[in-house]
Amino acid sequence: MKYLGKSTMMASALALTTSAAFAQEATGDIPPVTLFKNVMVFDGVNDGLKDVDVLVVGNKIHKIDADIPEGGKWEVDVRTGGSKRLPDPVGGIDGYSFTVQTERGIETKEVDVTVIDGDGRTLMPGLIDSHVHVNMYKNGTIPGLQDTTWEEIGARAAAFAQEMLAMGFTTVRDMCGAHGGLRAVIDEGSLPGPRIYSSGACLSQTGGHGDWGIAGQRKNESNLERLEITRLVDGPAEVLQGARRNFALGANYLKIMVSGGVTSIKDPIYQSAFTNEEISAAVEVAGDMDSYVAMHVFMDSDLSRALDLGVKVVDHGLTITEPTMQKLVEKEAFFSPNLTALAPEALEHPMHQDPTFPPTAKFLWLRENSKQLMDLVKKYKPKMVFDSDYVLLTGVPYRQSMDFTKAFVAREFGNLWALQMMTSNGGELAALTGRGNPYPEGKLGVIEEGAYADILIVDGNPLEDISAIGAVDTWFDAPPRGQDVPSIRMIMKDGVIYKNTLES
Ligand SMILES: [Zn+2]
């Protein structure tokens, strides 16, 4: 509720308190129509802004053209998506007509168009964060999550979903523990939140990065295993079973842990995790589902062998060497390196102020062994996605971290590349889920005809000033903000407006 702004349309006033489904139902079988006028469009791919109008029909971008008329008689076939302008009848008709299939056959119905005047602002795709943890939205430590009930985790995930949408993220990729539940609640319209792609329980070997049980707990005894947020699997047979169960519970792809990690306690960072046979078992199950495997990895040798075994997405990968970067690009794998770990400001992270804290030592080792990364990325330009990967952080520190992450990738790679990571590249990665894609009808992360209507209107031009999307170039000493990001004036997801502070 906090970020519901002034609205220029009735459906948007309903959006946060009721549902997309309700808004749809209120207009019967005719989808809502929104026409964005007086906007400069960043399409998620190309440099520069285009002075065009954008017509949204239902949950899709229907037409992009210079000066789309607000009235006149247009016939839109909602089954095929085709449209044509009809001659104005005597006396004139405002609005659009739709050809719809009813029980009585094909009928033409008229509908009002909601016109939104962007007043020269930038219209762009909704943002995509390709590495989040909806089920770890809590302050503390990973062992501290052992004390969390499903009720608290679910409520926190709901809070997280609203937080992300308010920041302009209309799609996220969850990388450990979300199955299909939260997505179902959001997609039915009961909860404002982004689209969610989920890995299901992350798959880890005993003593690996996903083994978060406290000392003395055996396999299957820890809270996060019982809640199926993480899953310990040893040997190809258990990998097969665990991976299949993930898909059965609503996962869209798989995440495996092939190196040690920073936040976990039992695994050294240099740990080489999972045998080739175990990795291949996961790749086979994902292939059977027409989807892919993503890996948590830090060590170059593990990254290299897992690419050879068919893993398609590299998360972290900070110690990558030049030959492995070449291989990554050749295999057209996606790179999701969690770059803020390398920001000078990361040393000020509150978690890293205690040198006796085990994750701090791992973190410092990684920084020391990742000095080549930025140069390799700039040289080989792998397909990169935006990945925040914050865990165990909520509220103001979480917002500061997210705002800084937006700014840091732009600082390193320029605004266009950063924006592509946050939009079209994230959309391409989403489509890697193949026939199991929960959103298969259109592209994500782009402004083009036929794409899903996930749209932001922001103050200023983000290609020139990344603060237009709420980026802040300082981290923990940034001024605290509330949930609302004021420069993001309008947020539409799936054709439904969740925020609108544009003047009517
Ligand atoms: Zn992560």
Side-chain angles (χ1 to χ4, degrees):
M1 291 283 282
K2 271 187 190 162
Y3 63 94
L4 177 62
K6 193 167 134 191
S7 165
T8 57
M9 66 182 285
M10 209 171 70
S12 69
L14 296 171
L16 269 184
T17 49
T18 60
S19 70
F22 182 85
Q24 197 81 18
E25 195 181 81
T27 53
D29 49 6
I30 300 176
V33 181
T34 308
L35 176 58
F36 294 100
K37 304 277 296 179
N38 201 8
V39 287
M40 300 298 292
V41 174
F42 168 61
D43 64 10
V45 179
N46 297 296
D47 201 1
L49 304 178
K50 288 201 193 84
D51 184 5
V52 285
D53 297 344
V54 178
L55 178 69
V56 171
V57 176
N59 66 346
K60 304 274 173 42
I61 296 171
H62 185 74
K63 193 167 189 61
I64 302 171
D65 210 345
D67 208 19
I68 298 174
E70 297 176 21
K73 193 169 168 73
W74 283 66
E75 195 170 76
V76 181
D77 186 327
V78 295
R79 293 161 307 141
T80 64
S83 65
K84 61 181 172 182
R85 182 148 198 200
L86 302 176
D88 289 338
V90 178
I93 290 180
D94 286 337
Y96 289 65
S97 300
F98 286 88
T99 305
V100 293
Q101 182 79 44
T102 69
E103 285 171 3
R104 294 183 296 277
I106 291 177
E107 292 181 22
T108 299
K109 298 186 176 186
E110 283 172 32
V111 64
D112 288 335
V113 181
T114 301
V115 179
I116 293 184
D117 184 344
D119 199 20
R121 293 183 177 85
T122 304
L123 181 149
M124 61 177 287
L127 304 177
I128 299 176
D129 188 338
S130 296
H131 191 144
V132 303
H133 293 286
V134 306
N135 289 332
M136 296 181 201
Y137 189 63
K138 178 177 182 169
N139 296 317
T141 61
I142 288 204
L145 290 173
Q146 295 301 334
D147 194 27
T148 312
T149 62
W150 66 264
E151 177 193 25
E152 182 181 350
I153 288 173
R156 288 182 174 283
F160 176 89
Q162 296 181 66
E163 187 79 46
M164 290 304 283
L165 187 60
M167 260 186 269
F169 288 96
T170 49
T171 298
V172 300
R173 187 173 73 127
D174 185 84
M175 289 214 63
C176 227
H179 295 266
L182 184 62
R183 175 171 59 242
V185 176
I186 291 170
D187 289 354
E188 77 186 17
S190 297
L191 176 73
R195 302 175 192 275
I196 296 178
Y197 285 83
S198 53
S199 67
C202 45
L203 302 174
S204 166
Q205 67 179 35
T206 295
H209 179 48
D211 187 351
W212 299 319
I214 53 179
Q217 280 181 324
R218 293 174 184 277
K219 194 166 177 165
N220 302 323
E221 285 181 350
S222 84
N223 196 26
L224 297 185
E225 283 172 87
R226 285 190 295 105
L227 297 172
E228 302 195 82
I229 289 172
T230 188
R231 198 186 306 287
L232 299 188
V233 283
D234 296 282
E238 287 188 8
V239 174
L240 291 174
Q241 187 183 39
R244 288 171 181 156
R245 179 160 173 79
N246 277 350
F247 281 114
L249 289 174
N252 311 117
Y253 70 99
L254 299 173
K255 178 185 182 185
I256 61 175
M257 310 292 207
V258 306
S259 285
V262 172
T263 48
S264 43
I265 302 296
K266 294 173 181 169
D267 47 320
I269 196 78
Y270 55 80
Q271 179 190 62
S272 176
F274 279 143
T275 63
N276 288 355
E277 290 71 26
E278 289 169 319
I279 293 172
S280 294
V283 170
E284 189 169 358
V285 173
D288 290 345
M289 297 299 286
D290 197 32
S291 185
Y292 70 91
V293 175
M295 60 174 150
H296 159 100
V297 65
F298 281 117
M299 305 308 291
D300 177 68
S301 53
D302 294 310
L303 200 173
S304 179
R305 75 185 170 104
L307 282 174
D308 287 335
L309 294 167
V311 173
K312 289 281 184 224
V313 184
V314 178
D315 284 89
H316 309 298
L318 295 185
T319 69
I320 192 167
T321 58
E322 186 154 11
T324 310
M325 179 62 87
Q326 286 170 326
K327 186 187 290 185
L328 187 154
V329 172
E330 272 163 27
K331 290 186 177 290
E332 298 179 337
F334 282 82
F335 196 30
S336 173
N338 183 222
L339 289 169
T340 46
L342 304 183
E345 290 91 336
L347 293 168
E348 298 158 25
H349 193 299
M351 187 176 95
H352 297 312
Q353 299 315 304
D354 175 6
T356 65
F357 188 48
T360 299
K362 292 179 174 184
F363 163 75
L364 295 174
W365 184 90
L366 270 177
R367 284 180 65 96
E368 203 50 42
N369 288 277
S370 315
K371 295 208 158 98
Q372 77 303 342
L373 180 86
M374 291 296 193
D375 287 343
L376 285 178
V377 166
K378 286 168 191 167
K379 181 173 176 185
Y380 289 98
K381 296 192 166 43
K383 184 77 80 177
M384 302 242 288
V385 292
F386 178 86
D387 61 324
S388 62
D389 192 25
Y390 293 109
V391 294
L392 307 164
L393 208 58
T394 68
V396 168
Y398 181 75
R399 291 169 196 149
Q400 289 169 324
S401 298
M402 291 298 296
D403 298 349
F404 174 73
T405 304
K406 289 174 177 174
F408 183 68
V409 290
R411 187 203 293 173
E412 285 296 322
F413 303 120
N415 293 10
L416 175 62
W417 196 0
L419 288 164
Q420 289 167 335
M421 287 165 67
M422 285 182 240
T423 57
S424 55
N425 289 6
E428 268 186 59
L429 172 53
L432 212 59
T433 49
R435 280 174 284 176
N437 187 345
Y439 309 106
E441 291 162 12
K443 285 189 189 175
L444 294 172
V446 291
I447 302 297
E448 67 176 50
E449 292 177 4
Y452 280 112
D454 292 2
I455 297 173
L456 308 180
I457 294 179
V458 301
D459 286 336
N461 177 0
L463 289 163
E464 287 171 2
D465 179 0
I466 201 71
S467 71
I469 57 166
V472 178
D473 202 32
T474 54
W475 198 340
F476 297 100
D477 44 3
R481 69 162 173 86
Q483 194 177 61
D484 183 56
V485 180
S487 65
I488 301 178
R489 305 295 291 263
M490 197 255 5
I491 300 172
M492 169 182 272
K493 192 201 80 177
D494 209 38
V496 176
I497 293 179
Y498 288 89
K499 173 187 176 179
N500 186 358
T501 57
L502 296 161
E503 300 302 323
S504 54

